[in-house]
Amino acid sequence: PLQTASHFNDVVEAFGYDELPYVGGAAPRTKVIGRVFTANESPPDQKIPFHHEMAQVPQFPSKLFFFCEIEPASGGETPIVLSHVVYDRMKNRYPDFVDKLEKFGLLYVRVLGEDDNPNSP
């Protein structure tokens, strides 16, 4: 069984996928070893919003691997949303709105404080 982040990194490396650097992501993450990073450094009592894992950047990952070295007593979920599924549902339910987005584009504006806030997801 996978027991350490190092073992997990070996498994990820064995797939032979090109590494995609974590550039432009929203969460502060710390490199543990190799391709293993912390998922979120917010306090455990903070809920994590849905992930669209770096969907806001031009080159986003097509594959994600997850590893839990220390199981939490409760919680610990990492909710993920597949952006293409959201798109398909939006296109079916709100076709005029999606057509407008496709025609004019979408601009993300993120307003962040000067420092990282470790108390916020």
Side-chain angles (χ1 to χ4, degrees):
L2 298 176
Q3 297 176 353
T4 67
S6 180
H7 291 129
F8 180 66
N9 185 68
D10 291 345
V11 170
V12 172
E13 290 285 343
F15 279 91
Y17 297 127
D18 290 338
E19 184 170 3
L20 182 66
Y22 186 71
V23 175
R29 293 183 176 163
T30 301
K31 186 175 200 167
V32 177
I33 187 169
R35 296 184 186 201
V36 180
F37 287 78
T38 56
N40 189 292
E41 298 185 10
S42 300
D45 66 332
Q46 297 294 306
K47 293 224 181 253
I48 300 172
F50 286 116
H51 283 47
H52 287 270
E53 195 59 35
M54 296 177 59
Q56 76 278 11
V57 297
Q59 188 177 5
F60 49 86
S62 63
K63 291 157 189 66
L64 297 174
F65 294 82
F66 291 91
F67 170 70
C68 176
E69 193 166 25
I70 300 170
E71 183 179 351
S74 66
E77 297 87 3
T78 301
I80 297 178
V81 173
L82 299 173
S83 297
H84 69 283
V85 172
V86 172
Y87 168 82
D88 289 342
R89 289 184 182 175
M90 290 289 294
K91 184 79 170 169
N92 286 331
R93 191 163 182 183
Y94 306 104
D96 293 341
F97 176 69
V98 173
D99 288 344
K100 204 173 195 181
L101 287 175
E102 289 174 342
K103 181 178 180 181
F104 296 107
L106 176 66
L107 175 66
Y108 287 92
V109 177
R110 300 192 68 198
V111 179
L112 304 172
E114 282 186 38
D115 299 316
D116 286 336
N117 179 355
N119 295 314
S120 170

